[in-house]
Amino acid sequence: MGPRTRSSLVRLAGGDADMAAAAIREALARPLPVPSKELPPTSGLRRAPLLDAQARIAVARGDLETARVAARELEEVAIRFESTALAASARRARGELLLAEGDAVGASESFADAVRAWTEVGAPYETAECRLRLADAHRALGNLRAEAVERSAARTELDRIAQAPATDEAQAGTAEPDTFVREGDYWRVVFDGRRMTVRDSKGMHHLARLFAAPGREFHVLDLVAADSDDPIAAGRLSRVGDLGPLLDDRAKQTYRRRLAEIEEDIEDARADNDIARQEQTGLEREFLISELTRAVGLGGRDRHAGAASERARAAVTQAVRKAIGRLRDACPALGDHLDRTICTGTYCAYTPDPRAPSAWST
């Protein structure tokens, strides 16, 4: 939440709904020009938290037309960016509008959808907020038992948040390290001091492997095998219908023999101060090393060409991108970081900026 959004909601909480409405209207009309972690450069993502706040403020003032327009645009942004968190915000905004219009049935459905989405994202405070609004919708419908259940669940979660122990930063005066650790069916993630919980998935496993070895390239077949309960069977299945090894034994021996010769050539070129020869032999060495790395996987086993590799590439890429999407929902700054540093394809890697590396605790 950006400072202008927060300021508007603080004014609303303080009872000055008119000033809150004016502030959020100004923020939407004249966005700040400089992007930051809280204000991504994409205009739709910038407007989303402002639209969410505008919908709440407008409902509080009885300005349902403004609330309707804000909720509709927020829904469009959520669809465009395929974001669970934005969808949750949009469902809550729609629920606020429907409840104000007297459609308690529609409001209860929207609030219930928002509760499910925020739970999936791993946002306990937002989940509790939506449970309270769902309780209000149940009360309007006369469903007093359902109201009590939702209100009790919300208060329990809010009490748990309020009673949470002080963070490591407060206790030790140091920033909590970036963390990516699996805990049962969820992953505990910390990035730039922001804590979140994300549901387990294959993509999260792939990311954890990449984080553990920054700068290292992993072939997709290695990632698939590492995430399999039976790596041997996974390796056997990956070869069904393939086109054989990328390099046969004779080719590998030839490449390695030539590499040894190149090292001698490079030493001779250095001794003769022959820059052109150094560059030429250096390029040839890089090519041979690249080919051997491409053809030989973990443990020295051959990598195979063909359909299996392509299927693995597509599956790993899809899983990783889906995991990044969930992490973006929980923390947009982390999503931006991963977009810049995660490379997918036949080879996958995590390559943080060497000037500002992110050392993950995994």
Side-chain angles (χ1 to χ4, degrees), residues 302-319:
D302 288 333
R303 291 193 175 113
H304 286 228
S309 180
E310 176 58 23
R311 287 196 300 270
R313 184 200 63 76
V316 169
T317 297
Q318 182 180 27

Side-chain angles (χ1 to χ4, degrees), residues 250-309:
R250 183 177 179 180
K252 286 185 289 185
Q253 291 173 6
T254 301
Y255 278 21
R256 287 169 178 148
R257 185 166 57 249
R258 179 56 187 150
L259 271 174
E261 295 172 352
I262 287 175
E263 293 299 333
E264 295 180 3
D265 290 344
I266 291 176
E267 290 301 320
D268 291 342
R270 286 173 179 166
D272 296 338
N273 198 28
D274 189 339
I275 304 300
R277 188 179 172 194
Q278 287 183 54
E279 291 181 354
Q280 180 61 36
T281 51
L283 289 173
E284 186 177 354
R285 179 176 63 179
E286 290 178 7
F287 169 78
L288 292 175
I289 291 175
S290 174
E291 286 295 288
L292 286 169
T293 302
R294 186 173 67 89
V296 181
L298 298 178
R301 71 177 184 275
D302 288 333
R303 291 193 175 113
H304 286 228
S309 180

